Amino acid sequence: MSAQDRLTDALYGLGWGTVKKLPEPAAARLGRTIADLAWKQRGKGVQRLESNYARVVKDASPERLAELSRAGMRSYLRYWMESFRLPAWSEERIRGGFDPKDLHHLTEGMAAGKGVILALPHLANWDLAGAWVTTKLGIPFTTVAERLKPETLYDRFVAYREGLGMEVLPHSGGTAFGTLARRLRDGGLVCLVADRDLSASGVEVDFFGDTARMPAGPALLAQQTGALLLPVTLWYDDSPVMRGCVHPPVEVPESGTRAEKTSVMTQTLADAFATGIADHPEDWHMLQRLWLADLDPTKGRP
């Protein structure tokens, strides 16, 4: 392991070991302080966040974009402070920490016994939403995690999420899709963060007026297993409670090839994500390049 990898692992270990012991107000203040310091430094992540917000809020002035990126960094650090503390939260705190609308789409889908796929963008705190599902609803679920470097950091994330009641599969290795399909055929729940493609098989979608690539997995799983595919969006307000919305099911088209159906369904997901992101852009934690024009200028629209 390189010195940089050891430092990265040590810093995350410090976060999980120290922040979770802080009183909640102190952790919130610490998160805001770190966020403001990072925002003032205007590193690559902050600049990319601001650039992404410029695509979402197209008429935003430079001053408005600066306000958004500052709020975005505070939201991002709120996510980290909550995540570091989640293992120490009581069941009562977890049950009271999330308030989703239109939950009936999920509960009715689970009652039907055909399996449910929840697809989310990088909005607010998806780990808290997952802990709420396992704790408040008592529904275990399976998810997929990107393999991080160093490997010890990936192991920390897996142990953390498994400690919250999730089954975590590695994104790489080629076996995740088959395992997810089996869980769904057994009537289980699968949760996937699905607004950024991490493979070579992504689907091109129109996203805020330009082309991006999103994973095909949610749509393919729904087609192959008959499971219900539900978009979910999350956001913060000024309270300690995170808000959310379970959107109506994404229907499988009646006609077309598998690729055509996947394209239509993934675009429907992207449209649902865009609705939630447009309403709460500061809670979208996208500090990486997403649109094809940013990844490769030759592939963007004129």
Side-chain angles (χ1 to χ4, degrees):
M1 186 189 300
S2 69
Q4 180 63 43
D5 286 347
R6 287 196 296 272
L7 176 61
T8 300
D9 184 60
L11 288 173
Y12 277 101
L14 180 66
W16 266 301
T18 303
V19 173
K20 71 180 180 182
K21 298 177 183 178
L22 293 175
E24 193 160 343
R29 287 194 299 270
L30 176 62
R32 287 193 297 270
T33 300
I34 295 172
D36 289 348
L37 287 172
W39 178 76
K40 289 176 182 178
Q41 292 293 320
R42 290 197 59 79
K44 289 183 178 179
V46 173
Q47 293 180 48
R48 175 51 52 190
L49 185 67
E50 207 163 285
S51 176
N52 289 337
Y53 287 160
R55 289 183 176 274
V56 173
V57 188
K58 297 186 184 302
D59 58 350
S61 65
E63 293 77 16
R64 172 61 175 148
L65 288 175
E67 291 173 0
L68 273 175
S69 64
R70 184 180 187 183
M73 289 304 296
R74 286 187 168 191
S75 176
Y76 186 49
L77 264 295
R78 176 174 172 175
Y79 159 77
W80 278 112
M81 292 299 108
E82 287 179 346
S83 294
F84 285 144
R85 289 178 46 75
L86 263 176
W89 280 15
S90 66
E91 288 190 4
E92 181 180 3
R93 177 67 181 89
I94 293 173
R95 286 195 295 266
F98 181 39
D99 181 25
K101 299 188 298 182
D102 296 329
L103 187 64
H104 66 94
H105 292 305
L106 170 59
T107 55
E108 291 171 4
M110 293 300 297
K114 294 184 178 180
V116 174
I117 306 156
L118 298 181
L120 306 88
H122 285 81
L123 274 169
N125 192 338
W126 45 97
D127 284 331
L128 171 56
W132 186 88
V133 167
T134 60
T135 304
K136 173 77 172 182
L137 302 183
I139 302 175
F141 66 87
T142 304
T143 189
V144 175
E146 180 183 2
R147 276 203 175 277
L148 303 172
K149 291 185 178 180
E151 192 75 14
T152 51
L153 180 57
Y154 171 77
D155 292 341
R156 283 185 189 274
F157 271 98
V158 170
Y160 155 67
R161 287 179 171 138
E162 288 180 341
L164 298 175
M166 313 174 193
E167 179 188 21
V168 182
L169 307 176
H171 183 272
S172 59
T175 61
F177 188 91
T179 303
L180 295 174
R182 286 194 295 274
R183 299 292 183 270
L184 291 168
R185 289 194 184 99
D186 290 339
L189 177 64
V190 164
C191 299
L192 301 171
V193 180
D195 59 342
R196 181 167 174 258
D197 180 51
L198 295 174
S199 71
S201 59
V203 177
E204 290 189 5
V205 296
D206 183 282
F207 199 52
F208 290 100
D210 213 336
T211 306
R213 187 180 292 120
M214 295 188 180
L220 289 172
L221 283 166
Q223 292 175 61
Q224 186 164 316
T225 67
L228 201 65
L229 175 55
L230 300 174
V232 177
T233 54
L234 311 171
W235 65 93
Y236 291 129
D237 57 19
D238 294 331
S239 77
V241 179
M242 184 176 69
R243 312 298 173 177
C245 177
V246 182
H247 295 254
V250 175
E251 302 292 341
V252 178
E254 294 182 1
S255 62
T257 65
R258 185 172 71 166
E260 290 169 343
K261 292 179 180 179
T262 301
S263 178
V264 170
M265 295 172 71
T266 306
Q267 182 63 60
T268 304
L269 272 183
D271 292 343
F273 294 166
T275 298
I277 292 167
D279 287 343
H280 305 278
E282 69 279 5
D283 291 323
W284 189 40
H285 308 151
M286 185 55 66
L287 281 73
Q288 300 85 20
R289 298 176 189 270
L290 178 70
W291 282 270
L292 298 193
D294 295 332
L295 293 165
D296 182 351
T298 66
K299 294 183 178 180
R301 291 180 177 176

